[in-house]
Amino acid sequence: MAIVIKKNYINFKELCQRWSISPEDLHYLIGEGKIVPAVITSESLSVYSWEENERGDHTFYSLEPVIEDQGWVELRPSYPIFLQRVQRDSAYHYRFFWANSDKSPGEPHVGYYPGFDTWFKLNEPITMTDLETFGIFMMDDIDEFEAVSEFIEDKAEQTPTPAVEKPLGTNERRALMNIIGAMLEMLKNPRPGREDDAAIIRELVANYDDKHGISESNLNRKFPEAKRSLRGS
């Protein structure tokens, strides 16, 4: 009995196979923010939150560590966390220094609310090579991407429909049988003057022109087709 396992997430290799793309293609989609990778970590990570700052007339927000009485707040997430704020090192090489409990963090909000839009500072930056080893992609996000992505093409449009060879009709079959039968009769009576196709066609027409399919025009079509078929067999 076959068992179909409905997964909540798949890994890097499985996603490449699902979409029939190269690792470099998936690197590109990640770097462009088209698909958000996640990780499951056993490490404790420092928790950060947004703080409002003033610089002259300008207000800006920055991620700062959450500090309580015991010092910096650290958590070990028991759930997948999504990698955020990608840093591009080159065309296909990126690093992540931050993660969030949500795939799409909202606008900066001041204060730390455990379990809601939580920011984590990664202990070590995660590279694309790391993602190939332990990165995961949530199935809900994959389904959403496939439903709306401009990268997904209709396979029916990009795959040409293979030509279907039609079966021989009654008249065509009868014509071929007549040609084969006439040539068998010729083989029984070998004679000079049959050095080329034209001579054979003349003889066939002279002796069997009353038979369906044996005409100069039809034989001039069928002989080249027969030769191509024989060479391709």
Side-chain angles (χ1 to χ4, degrees):
M1 178 179 64
I3 298 177
V4 178
I5 301 175
K6 183 173 177 57
K7 296 183 178 180
N8 292 325
Y9 56 82
I10 58 177
N11 62 31
F12 190 99
K13 181 179 179 181
E14 289 171 323
L15 186 53
C16 285
Q17 292 173 341
R18 179 185 177 98
W19 287 346
S20 299
I21 59 176
S22 67
E24 290 75 17
D25 288 336
L26 189 47
H27 291 179
Y28 173 82
L29 293 175
I30 294 170
E32 294 298 312
K34 304 297 184 181
I35 187 79
V36 181
V39 294
I40 298 176
T41 179
S42 60
E43 299 178 331
S44 294
L45 303 175
S46 298
V47 177
Y48 278 62
S49 67
W50 292 104
E51 287 194 4
E52 185 176 334
N53 300 278
E54 300 286 342
R55 183 178 294 162
D57 297 332
H58 179 62
T59 300
F60 66 96
Y61 296 88
S62 62
L63 282 169
E64 303 293 341
V66 174
I67 301 177
E68 296 182 343
D69 295 340
Q70 294 81 11
W72 284 17
V73 173
E74 289 193 345
L75 291 176
R76 186 173 68 184
S78 58
Y79 44 82
I81 53 176
F82 296 91
L83 302 182
Q84 305 287 344
R85 301 166 69 88
V86 62
Q87 176 177 309
R88 185 192 299 267
D89 295 327
S90 63
Y92 291 98
H93 294 85
Y94 311 87
R95 288 186 294 170
F96 294 90
F97 294 84
W98 298 91
N100 196 285
S101 56
D102 294 333
K103 183 190 76 169
S104 303
E107 295 295 324
H109 57 269
V110 177
Y112 167 53
Y113 305 93
F116 171 74
D117 198 4
T118 303
W119 283 95
F120 298 96
K121 180 69 177 292
L122 300 172
N123 296 331
E124 296 288 340
I126 292 178
T127 67
M128 287 295 176
T129 302
D130 297 328
L131 284 180
E132 292 185 21
T133 303
F134 55 79
I136 61 173
F137 300 85
M138 308 306 293
M139 288 305 304
D140 288 346
D141 300 331
I142 293 170
D143 292 339
E144 180 181 341
F145 177 90
E146 293 175 349
V148 302
S149 175
E150 72 275 18
F151 294 94
I152 305 297
E153 297 182 1
D154 186 350
K155 291 188 180 295
E157 293 180 358
Q158 60 178 315
T159 304
T161 303
V164 178
E165 188 173 343
K166 295 181 179 179
L168 291 177
T170 302
N171 287 335
E172 189 174 5
R173 181 183 297 276
R174 180 177 160 214
L176 288 175
M177 292 298 102
N178 284 342
I179 294 170
I180 295 171
M183 295 191 73
L184 286 172
E185 290 298 319
M186 288 176 62
L187 287 173
K188 293 179 182 177
N189 300 287
R191 58 188 281 288
R194 297 172 179 170
E195 290 81 10
D196 55 32
D197 292 355
I200 296 173
I201 290 174
R202 284 194 300 269
E203 185 174 342
L204 285 170
V205 173
N207 294 318
Y208 303 101
D209 64 339
D210 60 330
K211 302 300 182 183
H212 177 69
I214 299 182
S215 66
E216 185 174 355
S217 60
N218 190 48
L219 294 173
N220 278 326
R221 288 194 302 270
K222 294 303 181 184
F223 273 32
E225 290 179 12
K227 290 180 178 180
R228 287 194 295 270
S229 177
L230 188 61
R231 286 195 296 266
S233 299

